[in-house]
Amino acid sequence: MKTNRKSDLAKREERTAYKLLLPALIILLLIAIYPLGQVFYTSFTDRQFASGQETEFIGFDNYRRLLSVTVQQLEPLVDEETNQIVIDEETAKVIYERPIDVLPREPIRYREYRQFNLMGNRYVLGATDVDFIDAIKNTLVFTVTSVFLELVLGLGIALVVNSNFKGKGVTRTAMLIPWAVITVVSARMWEWMLAPNRTGMFNMLLDRFGLTEGSIAFLASSSFQLPAMIAVDVWKTTPFMALLLLAGLQTIPDELYEAAAIDGAGPVKQFFSITFPLLKPAMAVALIFRTLDALRVFDVFQVLLGQSEYSMATYNYFQLIGNRNMGLASAIGVIIFIIIFGFAIIYIKSLGVEMDETS
Amino acid sequence: MNKRIWLSVLMVLVLMFGLLAGCGSPAEEPAEEPTEEEPVEEPSEDEVVITVAAGAVGQELELTQMAAQMYMDDNPGVIVEVLDTPDLAQDRLGLYLQFFEAQSSEVDVYQIDVIWPGDLEEHFVDLYDYGADAVVGDHFPAIVENNTVEGRLVAIPWFTDAGLLYYRTDLLEKYEFDPPETWEELAQQAQTIQQGERDEGNQDFVGFVWQGDAYEGLTCNALEWIASNDGGTIISPDGLITINNDNAVEMIDMAATWVGTISPEGVTGMAEEDARAIWQGGNAAFMRNWPYAYSLGQEDDSAVKDRFDVSPLPAGANGEPAATLGGWQLAVSRYSENPEIAADVALFMASYDMQKMRAVDGSLNPTIMELYEDDDVLEAAPFFGSLYDVFTNAVARPSTASAPNYNAVSTAFFRAVHNVLNGNTDAATALEELELDLQDITGFDIE
């Protein structure tokens, strides 16, 4: 810990610093804290979007509607005459009660999300808003997978363009093109490439190589939707990741590598003993940026999937614009905020990012 | 430690602000872009600018711009700008709602869907105050009634729509079929033709294309299947939830068997224009679409020119053919700075001559009854005469019964159907769930 006694000069400097920071703080208050406060407040009401209807304060109801989950046990069906458990003749499996009969309906109705087996019993997981739970799941899968792939590919690209070769300036610039394209535009482009018949590039290629009949519905069938989203995002943001890592690589002095080479360390050893540890801070910053960004993904999902599969942000948009449920949409916004906040803290703690030199 | 937390709060705040700002901005952007046909000069002080938010499906935008030009030629003091809006109905609604929430005077005249008057009436003026009573009697009474809320005429009918079956006359002749009268016949014919054409080398040929993406268009399509099999209209006009019945289950299960057989896998991602692209390229035997696709199909660059015709949609085993009522109206914003002129523009665009032009050039169905007897119109779109009954008997979506919750009802419905089409569940389970969802949304009783 630092000492509490400070010199007069230091105190004066500190005061000047606060005065200089004041305008920035005021702007932050106006453009970030105020609207966010408004969102927090609205999330406790039943406000309607673009409507003159009166707004009422409803406490935590919006949150309850979004997040309530329950687990109920499903009993095996029993034949009334023989008192024996009913077994499906074809699959030889026990038939259970239907979740729709088991899940509670008051005060809010629970819908089936998943069924699972545990210690020989069958359970159903019910949620009041299955779509939102799905949206959270989609967003998390999307975030973890795409950021991981971007990190691996970005690191590879950064290492390549960091070496000395002819035309490296051009390569570095060209590599940024996907990142510079507006997301909605690149999403449309991908929409054409992913078209469900042979007018789409991927179906055409798959057909040309005789792998499929050229009619895979990448954007409409559930098993391809998320992978397609991840592919679009990886294509688009890998250059950004590479750029951040490249900046980190360039701060590593060449002398270290020279010394290591003299001591007999090969390229692999050099990478793990010099590059990797010295790159960690840059990597941490890049990871935080990308993760927090990926968690609020909106444009790719909205353009490519619309109402058929949601991310947290597109579900928010749907509740606000489609259903005009401004209160509920605000609650979703707050939940997204909390999830992102959680991620930020985990990252900053676990990666040991030095944000403040004196601490 | 504390400082780290504060720093992360700060970062999250900045990021969140980006998210919120990102959600809000698209409304303003399209307004800035000048369309090609606009005069370049800046409006002088005594000139009034009227902005019309209009659709751009098929030829709609060009036709609206032509009408705007004609109005400007007659009224030198007025500049009519046409704002291009998204193709998908609920994207368009989203854009409009942002204008309404801000009470913006940016747009004066809105093109609104037949299902919106009930939900949006508070944002529009009463056109009876601006001379609509003189013309309202010429339009279809059912649509006028749909657009009237508590005695106020919130929108003037502009064009009407009903789902039609487009079929290839040359292929039906080749395989010796008559236009199908039931869905089962359609499936059989589509299967035969698809197989035959593929064997002859057109690998991309499909039997039947329709609108299966998860959006309002799927509600229209699925309502036609169900209504044509005597399965009701989701919610009955007197406010009972009727969707969970055997006839509806039967039809939705049947439609699910089309996906991947007579229709491509990708049909569950198709909207009107996606289906038309396949059809107009000559790669489909049947298509379900609105009348606008007729005149586009007859254009010179169309592969199906003079090789197709339209008929009423097929019926289910237990019912009569049904077509969903669509169509668009023009409404004048309450927040307009010049409501008189805006109303005049709206009434001009919906007038006899303009509707005639749109019918002849764009095969957009007039809402003025007399136009169905006009020789020029019948020559350009002969089916207006022969399918007159389809247009007058079209089945309305339950928008009046479920207002102001129609959008939530429709979304729950098309998502449930989409799930069945994708094979995630079967129709009986999906509709049983849907019935309870609709009860949660509307509070209505289940039949």
Side-chain angles (χ1 to χ4, degrees), chain B residues 59 166 291-299 305-306 308-310 355-366 371-386:
Chain B
Q59 296 152 281
Y166 287 73
Y292 84 97
Y294 189 89
S295 66
L296 289 162
Q298 288 294 21
E299 277 181 1
K305 184 174 194 271
D306 295 327
F308 73 95
D309 205 347
V310 289
Q355 289 209 359
K356 180 171 171 177
M357 175 186 84
R358 295 169 68 83
V360 173
D361 294 346
S363 64
L364 295 169
N365 278 53
L371 278 166
Y372 286 85
E373 287 157 18
D374 186 294
D375 289 340
D376 296 338
V377 172
L378 290 181
E379 193 190 334
F383 66 92
F384 280 5
S386 56

mmCIF file of all heavy atoms in Angstrom, chain B residues 59 166 291-299 305-306 308-310 355-366 371-386:
data_model
loop_
_atom_site.group_PDB
_atom_site.id
_atom_site.type_symbol
_atom_site.label_atom_id
_atom_site.label_comp_id
_atom_site.label_asym_id
_atom_site.label_seq_id
_atom_site.Cartn_x
_atom_site.Cartn_y
_atom_site.Cartn_z
ATOM 1 N N GLN B 59 -42.197 -3.377 -58.034
ATOM 2 C CA GLN B 59 -42.110 -2.053 -58.658
ATOM 3 C C GLN B 59 -42.695 -0.951 -57.792
ATOM 4 O O GLN B 59 -42.859 0.175 -58.251
ATOM 5 C CB GLN B 59 -42.891 -2.050 -59.971
ATOM 6 C CG GLN B 59 -42.352 -2.960 -61.033
ATOM 7 C CD GLN B 59 -43.476 -3.395 -61.942
ATOM 8 O OE1 GLN B 59 -44.243 -4.282 -61.607
ATOM 9 N NE2 GLN B 59 -43.611 -2.766 -63.085
ATOM 10 N N TYR B 166 -49.573 -19.282 -58.279
ATOM 11 C CA TYR B 166 -49.006 -19.110 -59.611
ATOM 12 C C TYR B 166 -48.612 -20.503 -60.098
ATOM 13 O O TYR B 166 -47.984 -21.265 -59.355
ATOM 14 C CB TYR B 166 -47.760 -18.229 -59.538
ATOM 15 C CG TYR B 166 -48.044 -16.765 -59.291
ATOM 16 C CD1 TYR B 166 -48.467 -16.326 -58.041
ATOM 17 C CD2 TYR B 166 -47.867 -15.822 -60.300
ATOM 18 C CE1 TYR B 166 -48.720 -14.979 -57.810
ATOM 19 C CE2 TYR B 166 -48.114 -14.482 -60.066
ATOM 20 C CZ TYR B 166 -48.538 -14.055 -58.834
ATOM 21 O OH TYR B 166 -48.788 -12.737 -58.611
ATOM 22 N N PRO B 291 -50.446 -10.647 -55.761
ATOM 23 C CA PRO B 291 -50.635 -10.294 -57.181
ATOM 24 C C PRO B 291 -49.476 -9.515 -57.806
ATOM 25 O O PRO B 291 -49.311 -9.552 -59.019
ATOM 26 C CB PRO B 291 -51.899 -9.427 -57.148
ATOM 27 C CG PRO B 291 -52.635 -9.866 -55.941
ATOM 28 C CD PRO B 291 -51.591 -10.231 -54.943
ATOM 29 N N TYR B 292 -48.655 -8.821 -57.011
ATOM 30 C CA TYR B 292 -47.622 -7.959 -57.612
ATOM 31 C C TYR B 292 -46.673 -8.759 -58.511
ATOM 32 O O TYR B 292 -46.071 -8.212 -59.431
ATOM 33 C CB TYR B 292 -46.819 -7.239 -56.524
ATOM 34 C CG TYR B 292 -45.693 -8.059 -55.944
ATOM 35 C CD1 TYR B 292 -44.388 -7.917 -56.409
ATOM 36 C CD2 TYR B 292 -45.933 -8.996 -54.954
ATOM 37 C CE1 TYR B 292 -43.356 -8.688 -55.890
ATOM 38 C CE2 TYR B 292 -44.906 -9.762 -54.429
ATOM 39 C CZ TYR B 292 -43.619 -9.605 -54.899
ATOM 40 O OH TYR B 292 -42.608 -10.373 -54.394
ATOM 41 N N ALA B 293 -46.520 -10.061 -58.250
ATOM 42 C CA ALA B 293 -45.558 -10.862 -59.008
ATOM 43 C C ALA B 293 -46.022 -11.115 -60.435
ATOM 44 O O ALA B 293 -45.238 -11.557 -61.278
ATOM 45 C CB ALA B 293 -45.311 -12.186 -58.289
ATOM 46 N N TYR B 294 -47.311 -10.826 -60.717
ATOM 47 C CA TYR B 294 -47.850 -11.130 -62.048
ATOM 48 C C TYR B 294 -47.192 -10.281 -63.125
ATOM 49 O O TYR B 294 -46.633 -10.791 -64.090
ATOM 50 C CB TYR B 294 -49.364 -10.928 -62.053
ATOM 51 C CG TYR B 294 -50.030 -11.426 -63.307
ATOM 52 C CD1 TYR B 294 -50.473 -12.742 -63.408
ATOM 53 C CD2 TYR B 294 -50.218 -10.592 -64.407
ATOM 54 C CE1 TYR B 294 -51.075 -13.219 -64.561
ATOM 55 C CE2 TYR B 294 -50.823 -11.055 -65.570
ATOM 56 C CZ TYR B 294 -51.249 -12.368 -65.638
ATOM 57 O OH TYR B 294 -51.834 -12.828 -66.784
ATOM 58 N N SER B 295 -47.240 -8.946 -62.960
ATOM 59 C CA SER B 295 -46.722 -8.099 -64.042
ATOM 60 C C SER B 295 -45.206 -8.223 -64.153
ATOM 61 O O SER B 295 -44.642 -8.113 -65.236
ATOM 62 C CB SER B 295 -47.141 -6.648 -63.842
ATOM 63 O OG SER B 295 -46.531 -6.138 -62.688
ATOM 64 N N LEU B 296 -44.527 -8.490 -63.016
ATOM 65 C CA LEU B 296 -43.075 -8.692 -63.088
ATOM 66 C C LEU B 296 -42.753 -9.961 -63.862
ATOM 67 O O LEU B 296 -41.794 -10.022 -64.618
ATOM 68 C CB LEU B 296 -42.487 -8.752 -61.681
ATOM 69 C CG LEU B 296 -42.484 -7.414 -60.954
ATOM 70 C CD1 LEU B 296 -42.320 -7.617 -59.462
ATOM 71 C CD2 LEU B 296 -41.392 -6.518 -61.491
ATOM 72 N N GLY B 297 -43.600 -10.989 -63.681
ATOM 73 C CA GLY B 297 -43.383 -12.247 -64.388
ATOM 74 C C GLY B 297 -43.622 -12.114 -65.886
ATOM 75 O O GLY B 297 -43.132 -12.907 -66.675
ATOM 76 N N GLN B 298 -44.400 -11.093 -66.274
ATOM 77 C CA GLN B 298 -44.693 -10.896 -67.698
ATOM 78 C C GLN B 298 -43.704 -9.955 -68.368
ATOM 79 O O GLN B 298 -43.868 -9.627 -69.534
ATOM 80 C CB GLN B 298 -46.125 -10.340 -67.876
ATOM 81 C CG GLN B 298 -47.227 -11.342 -67.588
ATOM 82 C CD GLN B 298 -47.258 -12.507 -68.572
ATOM 83 O OE1 GLN B 298 -46.268 -12.815 -69.236
ATOM 84 N NE2 GLN B 298 -48.386 -13.193 -68.652
ATOM 85 N N GLU B 299 -42.717 -9.479 -67.621
ATOM 86 C CA GLU B 299 -41.754 -8.570 -68.245
ATOM 87 C C GLU B 299 -40.809 -9.337 -69.169
ATOM 88 O O GLU B 299 -40.687 -10.557 -69.078
ATOM 89 C CB GLU B 299 -40.965 -7.819 -67.161
ATOM 90 C CG GLU B 299 -41.744 -6.622 -66.664
ATOM 91 C CD GLU B 299 -41.007 -5.829 -65.619
ATOM 92 O OE1 GLU B 299 -39.860 -6.200 -65.284
ATOM 93 O OE2 GLU B 299 -41.584 -4.842 -65.138
ATOM 94 N N LYS B 305 -42.250 -15.589 -68.858
ATOM 95 C CA LYS B 305 -43.166 -14.717 -69.603
ATOM 96 C C LYS B 305 -44.093 -15.554 -70.492
ATOM 97 O O LYS B 305 -43.627 -16.427 -71.228
ATOM 98 C CB LYS B 305 -42.355 -13.749 -70.469
ATOM 99 C CG LYS B 305 -43.184 -12.734 -71.206
ATOM 100 C CD LYS B 305 -42.278 -11.733 -71.899
ATOM 101 C CE LYS B 305 -43.048 -10.524 -72.370
ATOM 102 N NZ LYS B 305 -43.589 -10.634 -73.688
ATOM 103 N N ASP B 306 -45.410 -15.308 -70.372
ATOM 104 C CA ASP B 306 -46.431 -16.020 -71.149
ATOM 105 C C ASP B 306 -46.436 -17.522 -70.902
ATOM 106 O O ASP B 306 -46.979 -18.279 -71.705
ATOM 107 C CB ASP B 306 -46.233 -15.766 -72.657
ATOM 108 C CG ASP B 306 -46.456 -14.298 -73.001
ATOM 109 O OD1 ASP B 306 -47.303 -13.675 -72.326
ATOM 110 O OD2 ASP B 306 -45.769 -13.789 -73.895
ATOM 111 N N PHE B 308 -47.162 -18.733 -67.648
ATOM 112 C CA PHE B 308 -47.766 -19.021 -66.338
ATOM 113 C C PHE B 308 -49.136 -18.378 -66.233
ATOM 114 O O PHE B 308 -49.515 -17.543 -67.057
ATOM 115 C CB PHE B 308 -46.864 -18.515 -65.217
ATOM 116 C CG PHE B 308 -46.843 -17.018 -65.058
ATOM 117 C CD1 PHE B 308 -47.682 -16.406 -64.134
ATOM 118 C CD2 PHE B 308 -46.002 -16.217 -65.820
ATOM 119 C CE1 PHE B 308 -47.662 -15.030 -63.975
ATOM 120 C CE2 PHE B 308 -45.979 -14.852 -65.673
ATOM 121 C CZ PHE B 308 -46.808 -14.249 -64.745
ATOM 122 N N ASP B 309 -49.869 -18.804 -65.235
ATOM 123 C CA ASP B 309 -51.177 -18.214 -64.954
ATOM 124 C C ASP B 309 -51.403 -18.268 -63.444
ATOM 125 O O ASP B 309 -50.587 -18.857 -62.723
ATOM 126 C CB ASP B 309 -52.267 -18.991 -65.694
ATOM 127 C CG ASP B 309 -53.491 -18.096 -65.944
ATOM 128 O OD1 ASP B 309 -53.557 -17.010 -65.336
ATOM 129 O OD2 ASP B 309 -54.354 -18.501 -66.735
ATOM 130 N N VAL B 310 -52.482 -17.651 -62.991
ATOM 131 C CA VAL B 310 -52.772 -17.690 -61.562
ATOM 132 C C VAL B 310 -54.139 -18.307 -61.338
ATOM 133 O O VAL B 310 -55.021 -18.222 -62.203
ATOM 134 C CB VAL B 310 -52.747 -16.288 -60.920
ATOM 135 C CG1 VAL B 310 -51.344 -15.770 -60.837
ATOM 136 C CG2 VAL B 310 -53.632 -15.335 -61.674
ATOM 137 N N GLN B 355 -54.545 4.636 -58.862
ATOM 138 C CA GLN B 355 -54.738 3.191 -58.636
ATOM 139 C C GLN B 355 -54.770 2.446 -59.957
ATOM 140 O O GLN B 355 -54.310 1.316 -60.062
ATOM 141 C CB GLN B 355 -56.030 2.950 -57.852
ATOM 142 C CG GLN B 355 -55.940 3.387 -56.407
ATOM 143 C CD GLN B 355 -56.844 2.563 -55.499
ATOM 144 O OE1 GLN B 355 -57.555 1.666 -55.935
ATOM 145 N NE2 GLN B 355 -56.811 2.889 -54.216
ATOM 146 N N LYS B 356 -55.313 3.131 -61.006
ATOM 147 C CA LYS B 356 -55.359 2.504 -62.326
ATOM 148 C C LYS B 356 -53.932 2.321 -62.858
ATOM 149 O O LYS B 356 -53.574 1.243 -63.355
ATOM 150 C CB LYS B 356 -56.174 3.361 -63.282
ATOM 151 C CG LYS B 356 -56.267 2.776 -64.670
ATOM 152 C CD LYS B 356 -57.256 3.521 -65.528
ATOM 153 C CE LYS B 356 -57.145 3.034 -66.970
ATOM 154 N NZ LYS B 356 -58.128 3.657 -67.847
ATOM 155 N N MET B 357 -53.120 3.362 -62.697
ATOM 156 C CA MET B 357 -51.737 3.261 -63.163
ATOM 157 C C MET B 357 -51.012 2.119 -62.438
ATOM 158 O O MET B 357 -50.314 1.313 -63.049
ATOM 159 C CB MET B 357 -51.018 4.579 -62.897
ATOM 160 C CG MET B 357 -49.537 4.536 -63.241
ATOM 161 S SD MET B 357 -48.691 6.042 -62.766
ATOM 162 C CE MET B 357 -48.344 5.750 -61.052
ATOM 163 N N ARG B 358 -51.214 2.039 -61.117
ATOM 164 C CA ARG B 358 -50.540 1.002 -60.336
ATOM 165 C C ARG B 358 -51.048 -0.392 -60.717
ATOM 166 O O ARG B 358 -50.296 -1.365 -60.664
ATOM 167 C CB ARG B 358 -50.734 1.253 -58.843
ATOM 168 C CG ARG B 358 -50.065 2.542 -58.378
ATOM 169 C CD ARG B 358 -50.487 2.910 -56.972
ATOM 170 N NE ARG B 358 -49.972 1.979 -55.980
ATOM 171 C CZ ARG B 358 -48.755 2.048 -55.458
ATOM 172 N NH1 ARG B 358 -47.939 3.010 -55.803
ATOM 173 N NH2 ARG B 358 -48.360 1.164 -54.568
ATOM 174 N N ALA B 359 -52.336 -0.469 -61.084
ATOM 175 C CA ALA B 359 -52.888 -1.763 -61.486
ATOM 176 C C ALA B 359 -52.339 -2.188 -62.837
ATOM 177 O O ALA B 359 -51.949 -3.343 -63.034
ATOM 178 C CB ALA B 359 -54.409 -1.685 -61.523
ATOM 179 N N VAL B 360 -52.271 -1.249 -63.783
ATOM 180 C CA VAL B 360 -51.828 -1.581 -65.133
ATOM 181 C C VAL B 360 -50.322 -1.869 -65.159
ATOM 182 O O VAL B 360 -49.877 -2.874 -65.706
ATOM 183 C CB VAL B 360 -52.184 -0.433 -66.112
ATOM 184 C CG1 VAL B 360 -51.570 -0.704 -67.487
ATOM 185 C CG2 VAL B 360 -53.691 -0.278 -66.219
ATOM 186 N N ASP B 361 -49.545 -0.988 -64.536
ATOM 187 C CA ASP B 361 -48.084 -1.140 -64.606
ATOM 188 C C ASP B 361 -47.530 -2.116 -63.584
ATOM 189 O O ASP B 361 -46.475 -2.711 -63.808
ATOM 190 C CB ASP B 361 -47.401 0.221 -64.400
ATOM 191 C CG ASP B 361 -47.711 1.163 -65.548
ATOM 192 O OD1 ASP B 361 -48.204 0.672 -66.573
ATOM 193 O OD2 ASP B 361 -47.470 2.374 -65.403
ATOM 194 N N GLY B 362 -48.188 -2.257 -62.440
ATOM 195 C CA GLY B 362 -47.585 -3.042 -61.372
ATOM 196 C C GLY B 362 -48.435 -4.204 -60.897
ATOM 197 O O GLY B 362 -48.093 -4.867 -59.924
ATOM 198 N N SER B 363 -49.567 -4.461 -61.537
ATOM 199 C CA SER B 363 -50.567 -5.443 -61.100
ATOM 200 C C SER B 363 -50.797 -5.383 -59.599
ATOM 201 O O SER B 363 -50.878 -6.403 -58.917
ATOM 202 C CB SER B 363 -50.230 -6.867 -61.561
ATOM 203 O OG SER B 363 -49.034 -7.356 -61.008
ATOM 204 N N LEU B 364 -50.904 -4.158 -59.084
ATOM 205 C CA LEU B 364 -51.279 -3.985 -57.674
ATOM 206 C C LEU B 364 -52.797 -3.802 -57.637
ATOM 207 O O LEU B 364 -53.340 -2.930 -58.306
ATOM 208 C CB LEU B 364 -50.569 -2.763 -57.093
ATOM 209 C CG LEU B 364 -49.043 -2.883 -57.015
ATOM 210 C CD1 LEU B 364 -48.403 -1.552 -56.676
ATOM 211 C CD2 LEU B 364 -48.648 -3.929 -55.986
ATOM 212 N N ASN B 365 -53.470 -4.650 -56.851
ATOM 213 C CA ASN B 365 -54.925 -4.659 -56.876
ATOM 214 C C ASN B 365 -55.531 -3.364 -56.390
ATOM 215 O O ASN B 365 -55.265 -2.942 -55.270
ATOM 216 C CB ASN B 365 -55.441 -5.754 -55.952
ATOM 217 C CG ASN B 365 -55.416 -7.087 -56.616
ATOM 218 O OD1 ASN B 365 -54.377 -7.490 -57.125
ATOM 219 N ND2 ASN B 365 -56.550 -7.725 -56.641
ATOM 220 N N PRO B 366 -56.396 -2.746 -57.203
ATOM 221 C CA PRO B 366 -57.071 -1.521 -56.753
ATOM 222 C C PRO B 366 -58.013 -1.826 -55.590
ATOM 223 O O PRO B 366 -58.460 -2.957 -55.420
ATOM 224 C CB PRO B 366 -57.874 -1.089 -57.977
ATOM 225 C CG PRO B 366 -57.478 -1.972 -59.098
ATOM 226 C CD PRO B 366 -56.806 -3.164 -58.541
ATOM 227 N N LEU B 371 -62.687 -0.105 -60.838
ATOM 228 C CA LEU B 371 -61.493 -0.425 -61.618
ATOM 229 C C LEU B 371 -61.453 -1.885 -62.058
ATOM 230 O O LEU B 371 -60.738 -2.233 -62.986
ATOM 231 C CB LEU B 371 -60.236 -0.076 -60.828
ATOM 232 C CG LEU B 371 -59.830 1.395 -60.889
ATOM 233 C CD1 LEU B 371 -58.810 1.726 -59.831
ATOM 234 C CD2 LEU B 371 -59.290 1.750 -62.265
ATOM 235 N N TYR B 372 -62.224 -2.735 -61.364
ATOM 236 C CA TYR B 372 -62.250 -4.144 -61.749
ATOM 237 C C TYR B 372 -63.068 -4.360 -63.020
ATOM 238 O O TYR B 372 -63.146 -5.463 -63.539
ATOM 239 C CB TYR B 372 -62.777 -5.010 -60.608
ATOM 240 C CG TYR B 372 -61.748 -5.157 -59.507
ATOM 241 C CD1 TYR B 372 -61.632 -4.194 -58.518
ATOM 242 C CD2 TYR B 372 -60.879 -6.227 -59.483
ATOM 243 C CE1 TYR B 372 -60.682 -4.299 -57.531
ATOM 244 C CE2 TYR B 372 -59.925 -6.347 -58.496
ATOM 245 C CZ TYR B 372 -59.825 -5.383 -57.524
ATOM 246 O OH TYR B 372 -58.870 -5.491 -56.554
ATOM 247 N N GLU B 373 -63.718 -3.271 -63.516
ATOM 248 C CA GLU B 373 -64.454 -3.372 -64.770
ATOM 249 C C GLU B 373 -63.788 -2.537 -65.848
ATOM 250 O O GLU B 373 -64.296 -2.431 -66.956
ATOM 251 C CB GLU B 373 -65.907 -2.914 -64.557
ATOM 252 C CG GLU B 373 -66.703 -3.947 -63.759
ATOM 253 C CD GLU B 373 -67.894 -3.329 -63.055
ATOM 254 O OE1 GLU B 373 -68.292 -2.214 -63.435
ATOM 255 O OE2 GLU B 373 -68.401 -3.947 -62.103
ATOM 256 N N ASP B 374 -62.659 -1.947 -65.524
ATOM 257 C CA ASP B 374 -61.963 -1.075 -66.470
ATOM 258 C C ASP B 374 -61.208 -1.922 -67.496
ATOM 259 O O ASP B 374 -60.460 -2.834 -67.145
ATOM 260 C CB ASP B 374 -60.986 -0.189 -65.681
ATOM 261 C CG ASP B 374 -60.326 0.855 -66.557
ATOM 262 O OD1 ASP B 374 -59.546 0.478 -67.459
ATOM 263 O OD2 ASP B 374 -60.589 2.048 -66.319
ATOM 264 N N ASP B 375 -61.395 -1.617 -68.785
ATOM 265 C CA ASP B 375 -60.806 -2.449 -69.844
ATOM 266 C C ASP B 375 -59.279 -2.473 -69.807
ATOM 267 O O ASP B 375 -58.663 -3.524 -69.987
ATOM 268 C CB ASP B 375 -61.274 -1.960 -71.215
ATOM 269 C CG ASP B 375 -62.743 -2.280 -71.426
ATOM 270 O OD1 ASP B 375 -63.237 -3.181 -70.707
ATOM 271 O OD2 ASP B 375 -63.386 -1.630 -72.269
ATOM 272 N N ASP B 376 -58.665 -1.314 -69.589
ATOM 273 C CA ASP B 376 -57.199 -1.266 -69.569
ATOM 274 C C ASP B 376 -56.652 -2.148 -68.449
ATOM 275 O O ASP B 376 -55.657 -2.854 -68.619
ATOM 276 C CB ASP B 376 -56.717 0.181 -69.355
ATOM 277 C CG ASP B 376 -57.128 1.075 -70.522
ATOM 278 O OD1 ASP B 376 -57.367 0.515 -71.606
ATOM 279 O OD2 ASP B 376 -57.220 2.296 -70.312
ATOM 280 N N VAL B 377 -57.295 -2.067 -67.302
ATOM 281 C CA VAL B 377 -56.843 -2.853 -66.158
ATOM 282 C C VAL B 377 -56.986 -4.340 -66.453
ATOM 283 O O VAL B 377 -56.066 -5.132 -66.230
ATOM 284 C CB VAL B 377 -57.644 -2.479 -64.889
ATOM 285 C CG1 VAL B 377 -57.322 -3.432 -63.752
ATOM 286 C CG2 VAL B 377 -57.372 -1.045 -64.491
ATOM 287 N N LEU B 378 -58.138 -4.735 -66.993
ATOM 288 C CA LEU B 378 -58.386 -6.153 -67.254
ATOM 289 C C LEU B 378 -57.462 -6.698 -68.337
ATOM 290 O O LEU B 378 -57.108 -7.867 -68.321
ATOM 291 C CB LEU B 378 -59.848 -6.364 -67.639
ATOM 292 C CG LEU B 378 -60.829 -6.167 -66.486
ATOM 293 C CD1 LEU B 378 -62.248 -6.407 -66.941
ATOM 294 C CD2 LEU B 378 -60.491 -7.099 -65.316
ATOM 295 N N GLU B 379 -57.059 -5.821 -69.260
ATOM 296 C CA GLU B 379 -56.141 -6.281 -70.296
ATOM 297 C C GLU B 379 -54.757 -6.556 -69.703
ATOM 298 O O GLU B 379 -54.110 -7.555 -70.015
ATOM 299 C CB GLU B 379 -56.032 -5.223 -71.397
ATOM 300 C CG GLU B 379 -55.359 -5.757 -72.649
ATOM 301 C CD GLU B 379 -55.037 -4.638 -73.626
ATOM 302 O OE1 GLU B 379 -55.734 -3.587 -73.586
ATOM 303 O OE2 GLU B 379 -54.084 -4.801 -74.384
ATOM 304 N N ALA B 380 -54.327 -5.668 -68.811
ATOM 305 C CA ALA B 380 -52.999 -5.824 -68.217
ATOM 306 C C ALA B 380 -52.971 -6.982 -67.225
ATOM 307 O O ALA B 380 -51.977 -7.698 -67.117
ATOM 308 C CB ALA B 380 -52.582 -4.534 -67.523
ATOM 309 N N ALA B 381 -54.037 -7.160 -66.474
ATOM 310 C CA ALA B 381 -54.081 -8.216 -65.459
ATOM 311 C C ALA B 381 -55.432 -8.912 -65.532
ATOM 312 O O ALA B 381 -56.331 -8.633 -64.746
ATOM 313 C CB ALA B 381 -53.853 -7.620 -64.068
ATOM 314 N N PRO B 382 -55.580 -9.850 -66.500
ATOM 315 C CA PRO B 382 -56.890 -10.493 -66.723
ATOM 316 C C PRO B 382 -57.452 -11.151 -65.464
ATOM 317 O O PRO B 382 -58.674 -11.233 -65.297
ATOM 318 C CB PRO B 382 -56.591 -11.549 -67.782
ATOM 319 C CG PRO B 382 -55.255 -11.226 -68.342
ATOM 320 C CD PRO B 382 -54.530 -10.395 -67.354
ATOM 321 N N PHE B 383 -56.555 -11.613 -64.574
ATOM 322 C CA PHE B 383 -57.046 -12.365 -63.412
ATOM 323 C C PHE B 383 -57.811 -11.486 -62.426
ATOM 324 O O PHE B 383 -58.536 -11.987 -61.580
ATOM 325 C CB PHE B 383 -55.892 -13.094 -62.715
ATOM 326 C CG PHE B 383 -54.886 -12.184 -62.075
ATOM 327 C CD1 PHE B 383 -55.031 -11.818 -60.750
ATOM 328 C CD2 PHE B 383 -53.792 -11.704 -62.792
ATOM 329 C CE1 PHE B 383 -54.091 -10.998 -60.152
ATOM 330 C CE2 PHE B 383 -52.862 -10.884 -62.198
ATOM 331 C CZ PHE B 383 -53.013 -10.516 -60.869
ATOM 332 N N PHE B 384 -57.659 -10.143 -62.535
ATOM 333 C CA PHE B 384 -58.448 -9.273 -61.658
ATOM 334 C C PHE B 384 -59.935 -9.540 -61.843
ATOM 335 O O PHE B 384 -60.697 -9.505 -60.898
ATOM 336 C CB PHE B 384 -58.165 -7.797 -61.976
ATOM 337 C CG PHE B 384 -56.892 -7.281 -61.372
ATOM 338 C CD1 PHE B 384 -56.029 -8.118 -60.706
ATOM 339 C CD2 PHE B 384 -56.565 -5.931 -61.470
ATOM 340 C CE1 PHE B 384 -54.856 -7.640 -60.160
ATOM 341 C CE2 PHE B 384 -55.395 -5.444 -60.928
ATOM 342 C CZ PHE B 384 -54.537 -6.297 -60.266
ATOM 343 N N GLY B 385 -60.332 -9.809 -63.117
ATOM 344 C CA GLY B 385 -61.731 -10.085 -63.388
ATOM 345 C C GLY B 385 -62.103 -11.488 -62.958
ATOM 346 O O GLY B 385 -63.060 -11.701 -62.206
ATOM 347 N N SER B 386 -61.276 -12.484 -63.375
ATOM 348 C CA SER B 386 -61.667 -13.869 -63.124
ATOM 349 C C SER B 386 -61.540 -14.238 -61.646
ATOM 350 O O SER B 386 -62.232 -15.126 -61.171
ATOM 351 C CB SER B 386 -60.815 -14.813 -63.989
ATOM 352 O OG SER B 386 -59.449 -14.585 -63.745
#
